[in-house]
Amino acid sequence: MTRGFIRHFPGNLSEVKLIVNGVEYEFDLDPRTTLLDLLREHLGLTGAKKGCDHGQCGACTVLLDGRRVNSCLILAVAQQGAEVTTVEGLGTAERPHPVQRGFLDHDGFQCGYCTPGQICSAVGMLDEVKQGRPSAVTTPGDDLLSDAEIRERMSGNLCRCGAYPNMVPAIRQAAGE
Amino acid sequence: MTATVGTPLARLEGPAKVTGAARYAAEYPQDDVVHGWIVQSPVPRGRLNAVLADPTADAIAVLWHGNAPRLEPADDPELDVLQSDRISYRGQPVALVVAETLEAARRAAQVLQLDITAEEHDAVLRADHPGLYTPEQVNPAFPSETASGDVDAALAAAPVTVDVTYSTPALHNSPMEPHATIARWAGDDLTLYDSNQHPSGIAATVAGVFGLEPERVHVVTEHVGGGFGSKGSARPNAVLAAMAARVVGRPVKLVLPRQAMFSLVGYRTPTIQQIRLGADPDGTLTAIDHAAIGQSSRILEYAEQTAVVTRHMYAAPNRRTGHRLLRLDMPTPRWMRAPGEAPGMAAFECALDELAEKLGIDPIELRVRNEPAAEPEGGTPFTSRHYVECLRTGAERFGWAGRDPRPRQRREGDWWIGTGVAGAIYPTMAQPSTARVRAVGDDFEVAIGAADLGTGARTILTQIAADALGVPVDRVRVRIGDSTLPKASVAGGSSGSASWGWAVTGACRQLRETGGDEAVFDTTELIEKQETEGRHAFGAHFAEVRVDAVTGEVRVSRLFGMYAAGRILNPRTARSQFLGGMIMGMGMALHEEGVLDPAMGEWMNHDLAGYHIPAHADVESIDAAWLDERDDQLNPMGSKGIGEIGIVGSPAAIVNAVWHATGVRVRDLPVRLDKLLCAD
Ligand code: FES
Ligand code: FES
């Protein structure tokens, strides 16, 4: 177990245990710390990005107990014992996750700043599809991975570079693996 | 050796970007780092008399003009941060709080009390404002006004005329990575990890502000999460972080909150444009008049070159272009992707569509009929101009033939369907840069202080270097994103590949010829000798939209761009860049709008929930293609810039398609559904 601590918080620190990318951590935390800031500022896991800090862009998307979430909207202390997977935990340059490979194969990014969030979101989304969960554009019997479905399901993740058209085939490729 | 330029080499930093390993400015670990938070003025005009810090707020330092270190005056007055009590716009930095943690810094900033004397302000751009004036020049150094022939007489005599006023709203660059700096001093040496489009330029600017020799400032800009013009010069975050780091004697990290980006990093000025066209019945233009109004702030004259594009586009014997500007108690507008061309062509290409309707001529034919043989103003020959081919080939691929020119004819279920076209143009520029190449064993290291904002610059420069050296790409390592490397021009004006590629080509060829270990090549002299007129990339955009007859919702079913943009250096990254520009153009046509609150002097919708940029679901069928063009008069690669042309004209193609679908001409962008419903 790795123990982290936060300097100089004047109030009471809160204890929290988290499993991040398979490693168990125990922190004494400033209770105001968001999951995103914990990852970026205290664990050095800067793969999750901060684009807005308000749940409006999706750049901070990580998997929390397997579900995609905006980590900027989550207070770390509220996630006692949870398992967090960030983009760093999905794959490596040598052994990329199928979604990461899809993004590479289809040029699914430009500046790359939205990309870790897009990738984590796509991983979470594909799992939702596997569970048969509908989206806002689903009519029963539809292909849950049609272009329109992928676009709808990924619309919580903004990309100012406009790399969207290449992400659709990237995600479809990953879904087939 | 087969050439690698022109092949779809995948982005070299791709694996780092998809695994989260690529480091952006705020992500460099620093021992003992502290966090800064900007306190912004809550009023648009006034004076800051004092600040009162809450002692429980746990700040290490609170800087304001009463205690901030004095700086050397900067060329850009916006960098004279915390130097005076004067407040010139809402959102201006009036204090900086530094604390041990991000949470503490934010809290201390929130509870900082400001003693301010507010003054009356004026925030609204309008065409009848008495303060409008003609600036001496427009961005970057064009004459404000041009005229030839007699426009008024020609308009009076023209059998068919159009006189329309279009307006475009304030638009916000909104790169996904906020502007950010980590500043660290060691004696008089300053290191900045900074998100920007021009590491060499930022180093020089920040050095000037702190009265240092330029080489004492080291700017690291390895990866940049987009800029779209807003990171072209040093922003206040760079200076504030450096100032705070000096005061507290520790590294300071300063990231702009998303909301602050709506006032602190520039925006595209709103414009009001009057366009008057006169034509013969056969469609020959006899007069063109394009008069544009824009705004700037009290502290800096930024004059967007909105009507300049009209000087290059179509033939007409009588012509006039002009700009007027209004200074307001508002943040300073600055460059946003295709400044000038984007709003200018959004309006002009819509006006041309109105003329086509009046004439009863196909909008493509109307454009073809007014194709100039040389620059319409000045007569400089074009190095290459394949605009007509873009229109014709694009029309074929898009399926334009057989289009019913009448509006509101095609209905499928609840949807009205329409198609539209618009031209595109962007100047081809190159700016002085220096590159160095070294032989390292069997390999080569190329160095240039360029920046890759997601354009693919790192990859393309590697390809260019490999071909110039005559070796495979895996024997070339390109280093960019660092101000200590040979000086490069800004990643802006779609000039990066041309400027840097030229320097890299020069250095590599020199090394090959001399056979030494190292070569350095500076393009300054070559570029100063170049003609600047008559050099443009061209294109044509085609859109198909459907408009919900009940709700007025607009969907872009198809968007297609056909370009003649010189030699395409990497078709994979080029296609992405074209599409990205077109998607931003879609935002400009349909979604994006800084909504002003006149009472507060502020963009009301200053976040990504209120300011809608295109999302996945907005983008349906979209594609880009290009003609096989190569223009060897421009630079050794025969290339033209492609980063901006996608947003030029694509908004007009969509707006024209909306008219074709519905019969409604929306002349104030964006096309919101209420404008379509209320028009009925
Ligand atoms: S940073 Fe969390 S949604 Fe934008
Ligand atoms: S790749 Fe730049 S924001 Fe998506």
Side-chain angles (χ1 to χ4, degrees), chain A:
Chain A
M1 179 172 316
T2 313
R3 194 163 183 95
F5 68 97
I6 306 300
R7 300 159 295 173
H8 300 287
F9 175 59
N12 292 328
L13 297 179
S14 307
E15 254 184 48
V16 62
K17 264 192 215 168
L18 284 174
I19 302 158
V20 182
N21 296 334
V23 181
E24 208 175 309
Y25 296 89
E26 198 173 308
F27 301 99
D28 293 321
L29 268 189
D30 178 334
R32 298 171 295 187
T33 311
T34 63
L35 177 57
L36 177 61
D37 288 332
L38 176 70
L39 294 170
R40 284 174 65 81
E41 303 298 336
H42 302 296
L43 288 181
L45 291 171
T46 51
K49 303 302 181 198
K50 185 182 283 187
C52 71
D53 217 8
H54 275 62
Q56 300 169 346
C57 76
C60 62
T61 307
V62 300
L63 299 163
L64 183 65
D65 292 329
R67 290 182 55 200
R68 52 179 174 163
V69 295
N70 287 337
S71 61
C72 71
L73 289 184
I74 289 172
L75 291 172
V77 293
Q79 301 304 325
Q80 193 65 258
E83 266 189 60
V84 180
T85 305
T86 71
V87 75
E88 291 96 335
L90 286 177
T92 61
E94 296 71 37
R95 294 174 54 89
H97 183 279
V99 174
Q100 290 170 319
R101 167 117 320 269
F103 273 64
L104 289 170
D105 288 349
H106 294 273
D107 204 37
F109 57 95
Q110 292 178 43
C111 77
Y113 199 77
C114 73
T115 309
Q118 302 276 4
I119 288 171
C120 288
S121 187
V123 171
M125 182 273 269
L126 289 174
D127 193 50
E128 290 158 24
V129 167
K130 211 176 266 169
Q131 295 169 29
R133 292 219 220 142
S135 80
V137 298
T138 306
T139 41
D142 268 6
D143 170 12
L144 295 184
L145 279 172
S146 67
D147 285 2
E149 283 277 1
I150 292 177
R151 291 193 292 251
E152 171 64 26
R153 290 168 185 272
M154 290 299 294
S155 278
N157 290 80
L158 297 176
C159 174
R160 188 50 156 171
C161 296
Y164 304 126
N166 292 349
M167 293 187 220
V168 174
I171 293 168
R172 167 145 320 101
Q173 172 182 315
E177 281 179 33

Side-chain angles (χ1 to χ4, degrees), chain B residues 322-403:
Chain B
H323 300 83
R324 281 183 304 154
L325 199 61
L326 184 62
R327 307 287 286 272
L328 292 165
D329 301 300
M330 287 294 291
T332 312
R334 289 168 187 271
W335 314 284
M336 177 166 166
R337 205 172 201 167
E341 279 78 12
M345 285 287 275
F348 193 90
E349 291 289 305
C350 286
L352 210 55
D353 203 62
E354 299 204 40
L355 182 66
E357 178 198 358
K358 274 200 168 177
L359 287 162
I361 295 179
D362 177 78
I364 292 178
E365 288 312 310
L366 176 62
R367 288 169 169 83
V368 171
R369 252 168 242 188
N370 292 288
E371 177 70 357
E375 282 277 8
E377 300 191 8
T380 307
F382 292 106
T383 57
S384 56
R385 175 170 171 132
H386 296 110
Y387 178 42
V388 170
E389 291 86 337
C390 287
L391 288 164
R392 295 251 192 255
T393 315
E396 213 168 281
R397 297 213 191 172
F398 181 77
W400 184 264
R403 171 186 187 258

